[in-house]
Every structure is written in structure tokens, then in C-alpha cells.
Amino acid sequence: MITADDLIALVRAYNPKTNAERITAAYEFGREMHEGQTRHSGEPYFTHPVAVAALLTEQRLDDATIITALLHDTIEDTKASFPEVARRFGDEVAMLVDGVTKLTNLQLSSNETKQAENFRKLFMAMSKDLRVILVKLADRLHNMRTIKAMRPEKQAQKARETMDIYAPLAGRMGMQWMREELEDLSFRVLNPEGRQSIIRRFIVLQKESGDVIHRITGDMRAELTKAGIEAEVFGRAKKPYSIWRKMQEKDQGFSRLSDIYGFRIITGSEEDCYRTLGAIHRRWRAVPGRFKDYISQPKSNGYRSIHTTVSGRDGKRVEVQIRTAQMHDVAETGVAAHWSYRDGVRSGNPFAVDPAKWIASLNEQFEGEDDHDEFLEAVKLEMYSDQVFCFTPKGDVVKLPRGATPIDFAFAIHTRIGFAVVGAKVDGLRVPLWTRLKNGQSVEVITAEGQTPQASWLEIATTGKAKTAIRRALREVDRERFIKLGRELVRAAFENVGRKATDKALDTAAKHLRLDGRDQLLARLGSAEITAHDVVQAVYPELAPDKGDQISPRRAVVGLQPGQSFDRAPCCQPLPGERIVGITYRGKGVVVHAIDCALLGEYEDQPDRWIDLHWHAGTHPPIYGTSLDLTIGNDAGVLGRICTLIGEKKANISNLKFVDRKPDFYRLMIDVELRDVEQLHSLMLTLEADSDVAALERHRDEARPRAAVG
Ligand code: MN
């Protein structure tokens, strides 16, 4: 553990006039108060306040702040009281410790409105004395650095809170290094696979491009020397989280150096910043639109620098920041630069903003009650975008549109994986397939052999890639099913005429019907685009059932006026043999309804439009369509058997449509062409007798509007 003397030495390095006795007294008091307490790691608790104090010496803070750090948990966690701290260390320290305690007690829940409210409190606290927030940030930084000792759920909660609140806050305070470290420590907890994947790719890139930093800093130094400018050049790799965020913001892959390496040139004077800029732009090409002059127009937190992006002969881009040492000081320590000490006196950094004034201006912006959410949005800025980035279990980044589901994720990886999806895990937990994915989630797709795309997936998928693949696959599945059906139908039809449906016979039929081979013939037959009768007739015209004695469709109905034509009502689809009635339409003929059709109610008050009709008593051709609503078990061969049964009953299937597909059951609508109601009853009895038919009904669409002729 850092001793009191170590700590004093750290303070004395920037503030020779420090009051060593006071710091020692605070150190002893804090140690005594926390005596017997331990951290999650098992270390004595007091190691934590001491580490926080040491962190604050890096920002060259005054004695009161260092003492506050040593005591920051005493009022909350020990028997020490506010009056006692005030008596021993003065009102200033007591107020600061009290402020930190209050911030610690803010419940930053995941509820956003509540968070916004808390943000306001946070800033109110800050506005009294900014040192409170500096201690709190150092406190959080140390806790994040030592987070490994906490329970996993607690780690995730702290990391989320740090990412959402403390890291952006550090950024607003101008402390870029702290922001980056807080983000990276959180990223490590929230998305370890994602972070690893970026680090892995980073290593690969480094192998490919060699020591880019060394080469470029060397080139820049040489260029500046040539121009007679004295300056220091630094290069560094950005933190994994910064890279991840850039990929997210800019919607681009991990390949551009400008997003990975940053270069910084520290000059002696403001004029040298601009001379440096000139020298850099003379040697390397400036990338348009990337130049920003924060020296002439500083950010509100005092940040000043020139930013530019240049590209070399190889086309690779790098970002360069140019600033003076004093500007750099402000950029690193932010508002704390105001309290900087040099040789025991407050250094007059001309670029440091006055924390009190800065905070006052911030608070003004957020005074209005309605601004909370807006402010929250602003603070969480990069948390929102049109895109979500998820990770595979191996840590590869998958970019998806907002609203994407695990189905989209699966198809984004590979169509084959998409086809085989049966479930998904998000961050290790099973979730329904319609779950909307969120940024940073790790998604594991569960697949199973034999799974095929479901029609319901079309509703769940949001990406074009997934939708197109699902549609194509559904068509393919249908085609296979139709070919199977076609084979059953043609077998039954050929058997009916005492022949075999050989491949040769089918090829012949296909040629006659101008189809592209027997699979197409079978698919057309299965999907009822052609009938089995057509196929038989194409091969054995002489064997096709004779239609000679059958009643012509035009004469099928008895009771019409000469020249009057009729249509079967699509709502009830009456069949020969059923009791019927006609409804006349002026100039357009007659629509024939079944006597029990519900739609007839609409004509009750117009008796003059009703005409008495009945079907011709003779043999009708099998051309009268009627729809069957059928639910069958989803077992191999069931559908084929059903179609065979229909064929054996000498009925044609004219249309077949899947209404619903469940893992266990299919519901389908089959349109069959029949001679009469007797054939229908016989067919329905046969189908109902099949053990795989769960439900069967003649479909009557009574909601359907009147006949087309109406
Ligand atoms: Mn603490």
C-alpha cells in the first residue's frame, strides 16, 4: 500500500508548499476509520482511498482534494461524522467529502428519466465545487481498475453506469485520457469478446503494416526539423473501445489507419502550431473536410488543438493533433488544469477555463425541466445510431440495421446458418427469435440439421438479405413438395387407365406439353397448373376418359331464360346435385347460389330478382371447383397420400395453397374440381377416414363480396 510519505512525495513533486502534516493526519484518520474493513479483493479497504488520492496527484490537485480523496468513504461507511471531519480537517474538506458521499448515494438506475433527473443533481453538486466530481471520477476509475474482484452482475451494472455516465462526464470535463480508460475498462466487462476481436485484428494489422507508429513519427520529426520547428511528435494506438465506436459511427470496417492510430505534435507556441500544420500539409496530402481549428475556436471546456487528417503516398490516412504544451495540459487534465500548481504557485495556464464559470454555463443549458431527456441523449450520444453492432461467439463484429433480430444475424453470417436456425442466445440467455438485438450484444445462433425456413420468419426478418433468402428457400421447398405431389397424382392417373407412369412416359408428356423436363411437369402437376388428365392425354390420347356423354357446362343449370348465361357464386361454390337458386343482374345474367348461402339474405327484399333453378340431372364433367380447408399432420408422405386419395376419387386438384405451417401441422386450402355434390361427399368421407387428417371442412367464403358479375 502507498504510505503517507509516498503520497506526500507525489504531491510535493508539483506542490512544494503542501501541508504534509495535514495529509498525514488525514491518512492516519482514514486508516483508523476503515480499520478491519476489506475490499472484495480481500485487501484492506483503506488501499482504495489512498489509490484514489494518488490518482488525483496525477492531476496535480490541491491539498483539500487529496485529503478529501483519503476521507471520501468515511462519512458513508465508517463511524466518522460530518461534524467530526469538519472539526479535524476544516469546513472546506468536510463539504467536499459530503459532496462525494451524496454523489455516491445517487441511485443511477437503468430507467432513463430517473437518470436524467440524477444527472441534474450530479451537476448541481458539481456546480458547488468541481473538485467533488474530480474525486468521484477518480473513485470510479479506481473501482473500475479493480472491478475483477466484484460479482459478475455487479461488474456489469457498474460497467454500464460507467459507460453511460462517468466516461462521457470525464470527456465533458476535458479529461480525454480518463474518458478513454473508463470506456475501455467498461468495454472489457460489457463485451469481452468484442474487445478481444478488435485486439486480435489489431495485432494482425500491425503484423501486416509493420511498426507504423515508429515510421510515421520518424517521418514527421524529419519534416519538422527541415522546417526549423522545434516540436515533439508522439504516436499511439487508440483504445479498442474508440476503434469500436468509430466503426459504429462511420459504418465502416476495421482497416483504416486513421481510426486506429493517432499522432500528436506538441509545439512551443501557438504560431508553431500553424507552422507545423503548414509543414505537415506540404509533405502529406490533407484529407478534405477533416481539418478543425480548435485553437481559434476552443471548445467550451477549454480544449484547444488543431486536428487534421492526412494521407500518404500509399493512400493510408492518419489523424494528427497539433497543440502547445499548455493546451495539451488542458486537454489531458481538463478543468483540473485550472488548479495546476507549478513550484507551489498556481500556474497561470492561459488556456484553462475557470471551472466555476464553465459549470455555471453548463447548468444554464440544463435549467429547463424538459431538457433532461435531451441532455441524457447528448451525454449518451454514441449509444444511439441507426445501426446495431453485435458479436459472434468468436468475437467478430456483425453490423445490422436497428430492429434486426437473431434471424437477420444468422443470415448475415451465412445463408446456410440462417436456414438452419432453431433458436438464439443473446449474452448467454435463450431468447425468442423475434427479439430485437441491441448494440454490443453477443449473439449465438442455435441451429439444427433438417430445419427449413418458416414462412413466419418473413415477419421476423428485417434485412433484405434474410428476406430474399427465406423467400427463395420457401419456393424451393414448395417446388420439392409439388414435385412429390405431382408424382403421386400422375401415378394414380396412369393406374386408372391401366398404364404405368414411367420416366419415359413422363418425358414424352413433358415434350408434348412443351415443358422443360419431367421435374417441371411434376411440379406443375403438383401445384395444379396442369391436371393429371392433361398428362395422360398427352401420352395416351386414346385412353383419356371419354367426355362425350357429359352435360355441357352451358346447359348444366335448368330454368334459365333462353340466351341467359350463369356464373356459380364464388361465396358458396354450389355443386351439381345441390339445391340452388339464381339471382338476376340486369343485363349481366344470373348468379347461382346454394339455397343455404348466407349472402342470399341481402336479396330478401328483392323477390323479383330470384329465379327458381336446378341442376341438370345427367352426368356432369368434373369441372366444378370447390375449396377444402384441410389440416394435416406434418409427416413425410402425408400430403402425397392425401393427393393420391383425391386422385383416386377422380377429382382434379386445381389449386393448393399453404395457409399455415406449424412444426406439427400444415393447414392448407385445396381447390378440387368435381362432378357433383355426391363426389364431394364421397371424397370428404375418404379424407376424413385418413388418420393424418386432423380437420377437414368445405370452405365457404361468406364474407366474400357478391359474384364478380355483381
Ligand atoms: Mn470509493
Side-chain angles (χ1 to χ4, degrees), residues 513-533:
L513 294 166
R514 294 199 181 86
L515 293 173
D516 193 13
R518 68 177 172 267
D519 273 358
Q520 196 184 19
L521 176 95
L522 293 172
R524 292 273 176 98
L525 187 57
S527 63
E529 284 167 58
I530 56 173
T531 65
H533 182 265

Side-chain angles (χ1 to χ4, degrees), residues 39 45 48-49 52 69 72-73 77 100 104 135-136 139-140 142-143:
R39 306 196 78 215
Y45 189 86
H48 165 66
V52 174
H72 80 268
D73 283 329
D77 295 338
V100 177
T104 305
V135 175
K136 189 62 207 166
D139 174 47
R140 177 53 61 112
H142 184 245
N143 283 333

Side-chain angles (χ1 to χ4, degrees), residues 526-575:
S527 63
E529 284 167 58
I530 56 173
T531 65
H533 182 265
D534 296 335
V535 179
V536 174
Q537 202 176 33
V539 190
Y540 305 110
E542 70 286 1
L543 293 179
D546 187 12
K547 291 176 176 176
D549 300 340
Q550 293 170 0
I551 295 156
S552 135
R554 292 178 54 202
R555 301 195 304 116
V557 168
V558 180
L560 295 168
Q561 305 280 315
Q564 215 170 21
S565 65
F566 78 95
D567 283 298
R568 288 167 71 233
C571 45
C572 51
Q573 299 178 307
L575 290 173

Side-chain angles (χ1 to χ4, degrees), residues 603-662:
Y603 306 99
E604 245 160 29
D605 53 350
Q606 305 170 57
D608 51 315
R609 292 182 65 186
W610 294 57
I611 44 171
D612 200 14
L613 297 174
H614 63 264
W615 292 99
H616 201 294
T619 308
H620 292 265
I623 57 163
Y624 298 98
T626 199
S627 305
L628 298 176
D629 189 340
L630 196 63
T631 305
I632 59 169
N634 176 15
D635 281 330
V638 174
L639 199 47
R641 200 162 64 246
I642 297 298
C643 291
T644 305
L645 288 174
I646 294 172
E648 280 169 3
K649 286 284 158 191
K650 305 262 191 304
N652 280 327
I653 297 175
S654 62
N655 200 5
L656 188 149
K657 198 166 71 202
F658 294 96
V659 178
D660 198 8
R661 294 182 224 215
K662 291 271 153 53

Side-chain angles (χ1 to χ4, degrees), residues 679-690:
Q679 193 189 5
L680 173 72
H681 288 153
S682 160
L683 174 64
M684 287 179 74
L685 274 175
T686 309
L687 291 176
E688 274 171 345
D690 191 286

